[in-house]
Amino acid sequence: AVGPYDLGVARTLEELEADPSVLPVADAARAAFASLDLDEDEAGSVRVGRALERDLGGLTALFDPSGEFLALYEPRDGVARAVAVFV
């Protein structure tokens, strides 16, 4: 197993050749990390990497109201700070 994924989601090279689609990044982020759905104001801040006045329990995937994966944030210095922004 790798993170939340076991051999049940593995595909052979032949299967990938027939259908090269991959797991959407938003689905992978929700499966691999704690997740938090934001309101539009906070989502706007996250899009530009601003710190949030949020108490996160650890590395967290952040999503806008439509479900778009925005970023990974972590608690640091009493606020939530960007680790990686994907938009």
Side-chain angles (χ1 to χ4, degrees), residues 51-52 54 56 72-84:
L52 296 178
R54 284 285 193 150
L56 302 180
L72 290 173
Y73 269 50
E74 68 181 359
R76 204 172 345 126
D77 303 325
V79 295
R81 296 193 184 272
V83 173

Side-chain angles (χ1 to χ4, degrees), residues 8-47:
V9 297
R11 298 191 308 173
T12 67
L13 291 176
E14 291 79 17
E15 289 169 332
L16 287 171
E17 185 175 46
D19 178 11
S21 63
V22 296
L23 182 66
V25 69
D27 294 346
R30 282 199 192 272
F33 303 101
S35 63
L36 180 62
D37 296 309
L38 304 172
D39 64 27
E40 196 52 54
D41 288 338
E42 283 184 315
S45 292
V46 167
R47 285 184 179 96

